[in-house]
Amino acid sequence: MAGAVRVELPPIHATDFGIEWTSLAVTPTAIQQHALHALRALLRNLAITILFVAAVTIAALSFVRASARRTEINVRRAVGASQRDIRFAALIEGAVLTGIAVVLGTSAGAIGTHLALADWPGSAAVGPLGPILVTVAGLAGVIVAGALLPVLTTRARRVSTAPATPPHGLAVPALQLGISLAVLVAAAQLSRSGNAVVSGTGIAKGDGSIFGVAAPGPRPIDRARQYATLLRELRSAEHVDIASVTSVGVLAGLGTEDRILTDCGRCFQGGLAMPTHPVPAMLRAVSPDTFRALGVPVTAGRGFAAGDAWRAGHRAVVNEALAARHFENGHAVGRRVFLGRNGWYTVIGVVRDKTGVGFAAGAASRYAVYVSALEQPPDRAELLVRGQAEAERVVNRAVHAAFGTDGEAVYLGEARRVLAAHAAPLHWFGRVFRLEGGGGLLIAVIGTFAVMRMWAQGVLPEFAIRRAAGATKRNVLGLVLVKAALVGGGGVAVGLWLGIIVSGLVASVVGNLPARSPDLVIPPAAALVVAAFVGALMPARTALRATPVALLGSRGD
């Protein structure tokens, strides 16, 4: 399904707030597209890996099945069946198995694709079917080849009755379980990240209402004065606690990324003096109340004030990550940053790092530079108003006073709902990861059951000898449980190792991804271990119920 659906998100307006961007600037829309492609590629690669392991399992089981059916085929040839008839019957058998697999897989894929297209928060369409057809053809070839293998490997000679066991042992089931665990844990992380947004952790201490506003002034100086008047009107309104104007996307952690220069001071890299550092950073326009609205405390210097307005001088605030890494001894206040092609800005403060809750916030640079929206007014802005007042009535009155009859404020919704909409793709990818992990788990359980069954049949003579030598049923059961524990434990170990890679790739494009805590890992890991034990115990019932003579007789020994 990951390769069958092409999804897109609505473009985000690249706010113009007076920064003359360099050729290296990356818009928020481009950042989201990068995150979409990265997650779709990850889903596709995981699906290919799961199918490849499934194909290896089918091939291995076909090898064992071929060994078991050689005697049957020789008997059929002895009673008059021709090689052509036997091959045709095997081909029909393979075609029937392929048809069943294609029908089941196509039905599941069609249902999943329909649900994905209906649930995606942006635009979605069915992608190219070429890769899917190639995959289906490859799996069909494996199934048909597996059905023909007993015929192709049979010769007119005495067939060995040595126990047949899977050539890979129990490694492939463990690998299948590990892949499923990694995908299921990543799905739980994505779901928890999205739930954190819905619960209101994106905006500090309260909710509030968000409006889309655009100062109608034709010149930046006009827009700066209009935004200053708007904030002054709102702050003077009764029951308004916070009024924040930001460039579009700041509240969700998005914005435009560009290359900046930091006036580091006496800094060295590799023994060479590096007084200036080129750094990719997120550039955002904010107002005096924004840091308080986001719950981002000022840790050094000061934040923006009403006086940081037009002609007040180029001033900026940076986050702690940028200050610690690209300023001498972590002291950024009083030093400068070069933004775009605008020139040098004096750093007046340092704020706590804040990773946004919006989709693809984690794909952007972790360094952030803030400028005053009253000095560099955005052409379009997001207005957050918090308090007990009737937000729409108060904002419309303030907009009319600040912008005149040309001004307009578009109500976007409650802050919690707006941020939840930004995080909706996280929920979607979480569900798709969970679906893919569940499908991988189902394949792993079936493969584990089949391989463990083949393994148990292959070691029936060993069980018989152990029983004849005095081993009890409990001893045989203990041997089976040890093998199952090795498969389950190996799967968990592979899943934990692979999960570091999968979760790391997801975290590179998703902001605030929760860590792989035990409560996220233990439930799917326990389910996988139980599946391994069930797959091992069901075939072991034969060895526990039969006598040693019957066990040896079942292998023809």
Side-chain angles (χ1 to χ4, degrees), residues 391-466:
E392 290 190 67
R393 178 178 58 82
V394 171
V395 168
N396 287 330
R397 186 172 62 236
V399 167
H400 181 75
F403 297 168
T405 57
D406 296 332
E408 182 183 5
V410 179
Y411 178 65
L412 302 180
E414 296 180 358
R416 193 172 279 113
R417 292 184 178 180
V418 172
L419 295 182
H422 278 288
L426 298 181
H427 284 287
W428 188 87
F429 275 104
R431 286 189 288 270
V432 175
F433 267 86
R434 193 179 299 111
L435 179 62
E436 188 168 286
L441 174 62
L442 178 61
I443 294 174
V445 170
I446 296 174
T448 300
F449 173 80
V451 171
M452 294 299 290
R453 180 173 177 271
M454 292 293 185
W455 169 80
Q457 290 178 341
V459 296
L460 285 179
E462 177 185 346
F463 288 162
I465 295 173
R466 288 175 178 269

Side-chain angles (χ1 to χ4, degrees), residues 299-324:
T299 58
R302 66 176 181 86
F304 292 116
D308 296 311
W310 188 258
R311 301 300 186 190
H314 284 349
R315 298 169 181 173
V317 174
V318 302
N319 67 339
E320 286 183 328
L322 182 61

Side-chain angles (χ1 to χ4, degrees), residues 260 281-285 316-319 322 337 339 367-371:
I260 69 169
M282 298 291 290
L283 274 61
R284 298 161 176 159
V317 174
V318 302
N319 67 339
L322 182 61
V337 290
L339 305 183
Y367 303 125
V369 178
Y370 303 90
V371 298

Side-chain angles (χ1 to χ4, degrees), residues 227 424 483:
Y227 283 129
K483 287 290 186 179

Side-chain angles (χ1 to χ4, degrees), residues 177 180-181 184 441 445 488 492 521-534:
L177 296 178
S180 303
L181 175 61
L184 289 172
L441 174 62
V445 170
V492 171
V521 177
I522 291 177
L528 297 178
V529 172
V530 170
F533 276 102
V534 171

Side-chain angles (χ1 to χ4, degrees), residues 29 35 40 72 78 96 134 158 210 223 226 251 287 291 328 341 347 381 426 432 494 503:
T29 298
R40 289 183 67 237
E72 172 196 340
V96 171
V134 172
R158 183 180 182 274
I210 297 179
R223 294 197 298 270
Q226 289 169 342
L251 299 177
S287 64
F291 295 136
E328 182 181 358
R341 295 186 176 93
V347 178
L426 298 181
V432 175
V494 171
S503 298

